[in-house]
Amino acid sequence: MEDTHQTAGGAAGRIVPALTRVEQVMQAVRERIAARALAAGARVPSIRAMSEQMGVSKSTVVEAYERLVAEGALAARRGSGFFVAGQGAALARGKIGMVGMSGMSTMPGPKIDRAIDPLWLTRQSLETDARALRPGCGWLPAAWLPQEAVRRALRAIARDPRAQLTDYATPLGLPALRQQLAWRLGQHGIEAAPEQIVLTDGGSQALDILCRFLLEPGDTVVVDDPCYFNFQALLGVHRVQVVSVPYTPTGPDLAAFERVLATHRPRLYVTNSAIHNPTGATLAPAIAHRLLKLAEEHDLLIVEDDIFADFETDPAPRLAAFDGLARVVTIGSFSKTMTAAARCGYIAARADWIEPLVDLKLAVSFGNGELAADLVQRLLVDGTYRRYLDGLRAQLADAMGETLRRLASAGLTAWTRPQAGMLLWAQLPGGLDAAQVAREALAHGVVLAPGNVFSVTRNAASFLRFNVSQCNRPKVYETLQRAMERAATPA
Amino acid sequence: MEDTHQTAGGAAGRIVPALTRVEQVMQAVRERIAARALAAGARVPSIRAMSEQMGVSKSTVVEAYERLVAEGALAARRGSGFFVAGQGAALARGKIGMVGMSGMSTMPGPKIDRAIDPLWLTRQSLETDARALRPGCGWLPAAWLPQEAVRRALRAIARDPRAQLTDYATPLGLPALRQQLAWRLGQHGIEAAPEQIVLTDGGSQALDILCRFLLEPGDTVVVDDPCYFNFQALLGVHRVQVVSVPYTPTGPDLAAFERVLATHRPRLYVTNSAIHNPTGATLAPAIAHRLLKLAEEHDLLIVEDDIFADFETDPAPRLAAFDGLARVVTIGSFSKTMTAAARCGYIAARADWIEPLVDLKLAVSFGNGELAADLVQRLLVDGTYRRYLDGLRAQLADAMGETLRRLASAGLTAWTRPQAGMLLWAQLPGGLDAAQVAREALAHGVVLAPGNVFSVTRNAASFLRFNVSQCNRPKVYETLQRAMERAATPA
């Protein structure tokens, strides 16, 4: 900080007054309205989309929109954002198509607006009321999770006089859990000492800390197409260029990968190990090997998110195992297979990266929650979790078979038959638009996951991601059928 | 992300290959060695300091140092970083003074290196073994925290059939806790609806999310001099210019503040409300009022960290109360007064900022831990916490009086007498160097907090921050005395 401070004076000239940034955004919106790119009643781009488009902070966009409302150019509707003001705006709203680059439709109402925005599905899955069905949701229903085991572990912590109930965790996190994780990673061929493992408050925080360590704004990052939608949202926060490589049933398309490496010189590749989100595919050993060779040739770093490890029946290869944690970092969490109410994730990385990673973790969070780590550790050691997983895998295999059958009879085609896990990537018939089908279904209380939420290139418009653990109710298929019919009939 | 993707191709030319960045760092180190700025045995700047100095990622610095080790230019010592290789390096090490801008001494050993680095104290407080005494630590001893109340709340959660033990939290976080917080903020005159409150995994994450929302790299941020040391570490992660304004016993020096506003046009001011860290001072109403007028005139945003609210006996004014959450954001957490093992904090902000703040929170963490929020909520409602606080305040008042007496007889001068809380800012006699005294004390198992850890301008070399709840053992004062004597005698 000291040198930063010393240069602060010199930096003053470089700083554009906030007022000007605000006015730049106001002007951009006025111009779009003047050019009819935004008609009366049209939703203006979301705060986030506009701040990305203009390269300004979100608060600057908020201030600009607020001033435009004060001017009467825009109208704000609580919960559903900002619209172009004007006669019959409310009536016109329904008739206008997609607006700007924000990937948002202009249909009214807070819940249906986000369409294929990466955060749309997050909000839908987390917000929609309890009676809604969530075949598009990315996690297990509470009833499928080890509720009673978590309850017992909490009682055990409350009873344990040695339990650490009030203090901060040590910088790396609970040693007993890091030892467990080192052993578990070893089972997947990943050699990581407990001192190479840093605990975090979940897998997203693990990736966020790694991005801060590995990336500079403007760096390029490769993701799979399709990929876990929140990779896009998180990388967007880090102001990096995101490029994508088509994913195949055995891993990324290596020819396309090599082209991207040559053209964009990416710094980092972020992917899933074990079971790929959203496709449910698994990496083939030969692809893993060739991918690592390419990474070495082009000095590419890799983060593999192992969050679905415990769903696996036949373990897939881990890039970190082949690479020995040289240029590959493994992250994981127990939010999908144990509990998301106690956030606990981890980073396993090369020894000389741990110190700066811990510095970053402490600076931005002052350490992970020890209670969550203790809870996870107790479930891992007492055998309950292992027995639970055995039952869960069988349950998921049945649900996978059943969902594949029902979707086939509904006319959808599975892109691949996943070996394990809860995710299924399926294509709609007759070029139906998944975003449209998802909007129709949502209006009837069923949350679907349209393919373009997962696609950086937006080339998965006819795909849906299903979670087989959330697909056991007939209403899912009835609603899907009706939504497909409505999407098929021109408005 | 879509537009980001579309511009990715165009960006390829802008991207500097990682290899070149690595070589730039290697060259900078070689030049310093050649210029004798780094002598044999000298510690090279820390990974973090070097990445700030060179404006490259930390992983780039690690790679550069690793290659210099391979070349034989540097030597790596596990746990204590990188040193200039050469004859008698180990012997020479002890004799060499401060190196570069990293604020690090060159004394060997992992624990004593960080000196006045903002993260030094964090590591010391979290890492040092359980037998060490921590008068410089920023939190209460476990024995002073409501262990049994936390234990009872955990049992209650484990018993409660309606307890949410496995699901993700809703985007804003547990409604019952947000209602409690709205009521508590109201007690301090801050009008915030539950919908204006976002739960986080602790206060640091709350500030981190706000920095991402409010700041662009290169923006200028004002902090107090001295200020909570982790503000410096966290703001460093956001690549902003940090400038400071002297803090007085009644708040920031407004004349200096106005000069900083005119010169540096800062976007944001980050400070503590209620009880100031590290000085224990409280803001005077007149200062608060004039500060807000200045903020309006210069379009300055303010984050006030209310983490010590519950230590207060006579509530101090809140900037957010005067301002009505227009340009002031309040953050807080229960890590200091209830438990740090279950991380739970919050942001209270203007209504139109909540949506983008929640988007950011979901993108980087996928939501806060519901179990921690439930635990805090139960302690807030059942009255245990209120009764605990009554006892704690009395206990702290006694400890404050006793610590003031003992430090006075040790020759230290209190900068101000805090109205409440655990923090005490005191000056060493005879221009003794607090960093030196802290190093001496640490070697004897006592963690002190040297003033420059808290000072952006490093102008608090003769000050120490004491935590009166950690100062009740005679060994603290005996060790302090001996350390002062050793620091007084020239080596």
Side-chain angles (χ1 to χ4, degrees):
Chain A
M1 293 312 305
E2 191 175 25
D3 47 312
T4 307
H5 172 71
Q6 286 169 351
T7 60
R14 275 179 26 223
I15 296 163
V16 183
L19 193 67
T20 303
R21 285 193 296 224
V22 170
E23 287 190 333
Q24 284 166 358
V25 177
M26 293 172 72
Q27 196 46 39
V29 175
R30 287 198 201 93
E31 282 162 7
R32 291 190 196 187
I33 294 171
R36 319 285 278 131
L38 286 170
R43 165 183 301 280
V44 298
S46 71
I47 305 296
R48 193 168 56 84
M50 195 61 162
S51 82
E52 282 174 13
Q53 289 169 38
M54 304 282 300
V56 299
S57 73
K58 295 179 185 61
S59 57
T60 300
V61 177
V62 170
E63 189 172 342
Y65 284 8
E66 289 291 329
R67 291 197 193 174
L68 288 164
V69 169
E71 284 182 3
L74 297 183
R77 287 178 57 239
R78 184 171 180 80
S80 54
F82 296 86
F83 298 85
V84 178
Q87 282 299 327
L91 276 167
R93 197 164 298 131
K95 302 204 192 73
I96 297 155
M98 305 297 274
V99 174
M101 291 158 149
S102 69
M104 284 196 169
S105 93
T106 55
M107 296 182 61
K111 292 281 172 286
I112 308 185
D113 289 325
R114 290 170 177 254
I116 54 172
D117 177 88
L119 278 156
W120 180 87
L121 186 56
T122 309
R123 290 296 195 103
Q124 290 313 317
S125 304
L126 294 170
E127 279 174 349
T128 315
D129 74 79
R131 290 153 306 165
L133 298 176
R134 297 181 180 71
C137 166
W139 51 89
L140 297 172
W144 288 49
L145 286 161
Q147 302 267 352
E148 284 316 309
V150 170
R151 208 178 284 284
R152 273 197 305 278
L154 279 177
R155 272 201 298 271
I157 293 170
R159 268 198 311 267
D160 184 349
R162 291 158 305 120
Q164 195 287 86
L165 300 174
T166 53
D167 273 0
Y168 285 97
T170 50
L172 276 78
L174 190 67
L177 178 54
R178 289 186 289 111
Q179 275 159 30
Q180 271 291 314
L181 292 170
W183 180 82
R184 297 174 73 84
L185 288 166
Q187 300 298 95
H188 292 294
I190 300 168
E191 299 274 341
E195 304 74 43
Q196 284 174 265
I197 297 170
V198 181
L199 301 187
T200 65
D201 293 325
S204 298
Q205 195 201 35
L207 181 57
D208 189 39
I209 290 168
L210 281 165
C211 287
R212 285 175 142 158
F213 175 56
L214 298 172
L215 301 173
E216 292 288 299
D219 277 353
T220 298
V221 178
V222 188
V223 296
D224 301 313
D225 191 359
C227 72
Y228 170 45
F229 60 85
N230 207 50
F231 287 165
Q232 296 175 55
L234 191 148
L235 290 167
V237 172
H238 288 273
R239 308 159 186 273
V240 293
Q241 309 291 335
V242 175
V243 295
S244 64
V245 167
Y247 206 76
T248 81
T250 54
D253 174 335
L254 291 180
F257 210 114
E258 195 156 13
R259 281 193 300 276
V260 162
L261 289 170
T263 316
H264 297 292
R265 314 181 92 140
R267 170 94 173 133
L268 177 68
Y269 170 47
V270 180
T271 187
N272 293 119
S273 50
I275 297 165
H276 181 256
N277 186 355
T279 66
T282 49
L283 188 64
I287 303 287
H289 177 67
R290 287 168 54 204
L291 178 62
L292 279 172
K293 275 184 62 185
L294 284 176
E296 280 155 32
E297 285 162 28
H298 294 80
D299 196 20
L300 177 77
L301 302 170
I302 300 173
V303 171
E304 70 178 345
D305 181 356
D306 209 355
I307 185 153
F308 299 120
D310 293 337
F311 285 137
E312 276 189 313
T313 43
D314 313 306
R318 300 301 199 270
L319 293 167
F322 286 26
D323 164 75
L325 289 178
R327 61 178 58 252
V328 179
V329 184
T330 295
I331 64 176
S333 106
F334 296 90
S335 303
K336 296 291 186 290
T337 50
M338 190 185 284
T339 173
R343 307 308 312 278
C344 183
Y346 62 88
I347 299 168
R350 51 192 283 182
D352 57 350
W353 286 2
I354 297 302
E355 188 88 349
L357 284 171
V358 168
D359 277 354
L360 277 166
K361 168 186 158 178
L362 294 177
V364 301
S365 77
F366 219 87
N368 65 290
E370 183 98 325
L371 185 63
D374 191 5
L375 181 69
V376 168
Q377 194 270 337
R378 286 168 193 263
L379 281 162
L380 289 184
V381 291
D382 79 355
T384 331
Y385 182 61
R386 201 189 65 255
R387 287 188 299 276
Y388 154 76
L389 286 175
D390 293 340
L392 177 64
R393 294 194 197 94
Q395 207 176 353
L396 282 170
D398 294 348
M400 180 66 73
E402 179 64 12
T403 307
L404 281 162
R405 275 190 297 281
R406 290 192 178 183
L407 290 180
S409 59
L412 284 81
T413 315
W415 180 77
T416 185
R417 189 193 168 98
Q419 292 175 21
M422 59 184 172
L423 303 177
L424 182 58
W425 187 240
Q427 186 161 29
L428 288 161
L432 282 175
D433 174 30
Q436 179 63 16
V437 171
R439 278 192 291 269
E440 297 282 357
L442 186 64
H444 296 78
V446 174
V447 178
L448 294 175
N452 278 349
V453 168
F454 305 89
S455 173
V456 171
T457 60
R458 303 287 190 251
N459 72 355
S462 65
F463 282 85
L464 287 165
R465 185 194 72 179
F466 291 90
N467 174 343
V468 301
S469 71
Q470 305 263 10
C471 289
N472 52 0
R473 303 271 296 280
K475 189 194 169 187
V476 167
Y477 305 93
E478 293 155 17
T479 310
L480 175 61
Q481 281 285 12
R482 272 203 304 277
M484 286 164 65
E485 287 152 18
R486 278 197 212 78
T489 26
Chain B
M1 291 314 304
E2 192 173 26
D3 46 314
T4 307
H5 172 71
Q6 287 168 349
T7 60
R14 275 179 26 222
I15 295 162
V16 182
L19 193 67
T20 302
R21 285 194 296 227
V22 170
E23 289 190 331
Q24 284 166 357
V25 177
M26 293 172 72
Q27 196 47 39
V29 175
R30 288 198 200 93
E31 283 161 7
R32 291 191 197 187
I33 294 171
R36 322 284 279 130
L38 287 171
R43 166 183 300 282
V44 298
S46 71
I47 305 295
R48 192 168 56 83
M50 195 62 164
S51 83
E52 282 174 13
Q53 289 169 36
M54 305 279 303
V56 300
S57 73
K58 296 180 185 57
S59 57
T60 301
V61 176
V62 170
E63 190 172 342
Y65 284 8
E66 288 291 328
R67 291 196 192 176
L68 288 164
V69 169
E71 285 183 4
L74 297 184
R77 287 178 57 240
R78 185 171 179 80
S80 53
F82 296 87
F83 298 86
V84 178
Q87 284 299 329
L91 275 169
R93 196 165 298 131
K95 302 204 193 73
I96 297 153
M98 307 297 275
V99 174
M101 291 158 150
S102 68
M104 286 197 167
S105 92
T106 56
M107 296 181 63
K111 291 279 171 285
I112 308 184
D113 289 327
R114 290 172 176 251
I116 54 172
D117 177 89
L119 278 156
W120 179 87
L121 186 56
T122 309
R123 291 297 195 102
Q124 289 314 318
S125 305
L126 294 171
E127 279 174 350
T128 314
D129 74 76
R131 290 153 306 166
L133 298 177
R134 296 180 179 72
C137 166
W139 50 89
L140 297 172
W144 288 50
L145 286 162
Q147 303 265 353
E148 284 316 308
V150 170
R151 208 177 284 284
R152 274 197 305 278
L154 278 177
R155 272 201 298 271
I157 293 170
R159 268 198 310 268
D160 184 349
R162 292 158 304 122
Q164 196 288 86
L165 300 175
T166 52
D167 272 2
Y168 285 98
T170 49
L172 288 158
L174 190 65
L177 179 54
R178 289 185 290 108
Q179 274 159 30
Q180 272 290 314
L181 291 171
W183 179 83
R184 296 175 73 84
L185 288 166
Q187 302 297 96
H188 293 294
I190 300 168
E191 299 273 342
E195 304 74 44
Q196 285 174 265
I197 297 170
V198 180
L199 301 187
T200 66
D201 293 325
S204 299
Q205 195 200 35
L207 180 57
D208 189 40
I209 290 169
L210 281 166
C211 287
R212 285 176 141 157
F213 175 56
L214 298 172
L215 301 174
E216 292 288 300
D219 278 352
T220 297
V221 178
V222 188
V223 296
D224 301 314
D225 191 357
C227 72
Y228 170 45
F229 60 85
N230 206 50
F231 287 164
Q232 296 175 55
L234 192 148
L235 290 167
V237 172
H238 289 272
R239 307 157 186 275
V240 293
Q241 309 291 336
V242 175
V243 295
S244 63
V245 167
Y247 206 76
T248 81
T250 54
D253 174 334
L254 291 181
F257 211 114
E258 194 156 13
R259 281 193 299 277
V260 163
L261 289 171
T263 315
H264 297 292
R265 314 179 91 142
R267 171 91 172 134
L268 177 68
Y269 170 46
V270 180
T271 186
N272 293 120
S273 49
I275 297 164
H276 181 256
N277 186 354
T279 65
T282 50
L283 188 64
I287 304 287
H289 177 67
R290 287 168 55 204
L291 178 62
L292 279 173
K293 274 185 63 185
L294 284 176
E296 280 155 31
E297 284 161 27
H298 294 80
D299 196 20
L300 177 77
L301 302 171
I302 299 173
V303 171
E304 73 180 343
D305 181 356
D306 209 356
I307 186 155
F308 300 120
D310 294 337
F311 285 138
E312 277 189 314
T313 42
D314 313 306
R318 300 301 200 269
L319 293 167
F322 286 25
D323 164 76
L325 288 178
R327 62 178 59 250
V328 179
V329 184
T330 295
I331 64 175
S333 107
F334 295 91
S335 303
K336 297 290 186 290
T337 50
M338 189 185 285
T339 172
R343 307 308 312 278
C344 183
Y346 62 88
I347 298 168
R350 49 193 285 182
D352 57 351
W353 285 3
I354 297 302
E355 188 88 349
L357 283 171
V358 168
D359 278 354
L360 276 166
K361 167 185 158 178
L362 294 177
V364 300
S365 77
F366 219 85
N368 64 290
E370 183 97 324
L371 184 63
D374 190 6
L375 181 68
V376 168
Q377 192 270 336
R378 286 169 194 262
L379 281 163
L380 288 184
V381 292
D382 78 355
T384 330
Y385 182 60
R386 201 189 64 256
R387 286 188 299 276
Y388 155 74
L389 286 176
D390 293 340
L392 177 64
R393 293 194 199 95
Q395 207 176 354
L396 282 171
D398 294 347
M400 180 65 74
E402 179 64 13
T403 306
L404 280 163
R405 274 190 297 281
R406 289 192 180 182
L407 290 180
S409 59
L412 285 81
T413 314
W415 180 77
T416 185
R417 188 192 169 98
Q419 292 174 21
M422 60 183 170
L423 303 178
L424 182 58
W425 186 241
Q427 186 162 26
L428 288 160
L432 282 175
D433 174 29
Q436 180 63 17
V437 171
R439 278 192 290 268
E440 298 281 358
L442 186 63
H444 295 79
V446 174
V447 178
L448 294 175
N452 277 350
V453 167
F454 305 88
S455 174
V456 171
T457 60
R458 303 285 190 252
N459 72 355
S462 65
F463 283 85
L464 288 165
R465 185 194 71 180
F466 290 90
N467 175 343
V468 301
S469 70
Q470 305 263 10
C471 290
N472 52 359
R473 303 271 295 280
K475 188 192 170 188
V476 167
Y477 304 94
E478 292 154 15
T479 311
L480 176 62
Q481 281 287 14
R482 271 202 306 277
M484 286 165 64
E485 287 153 18
R486 275 195 216 79
T489 28

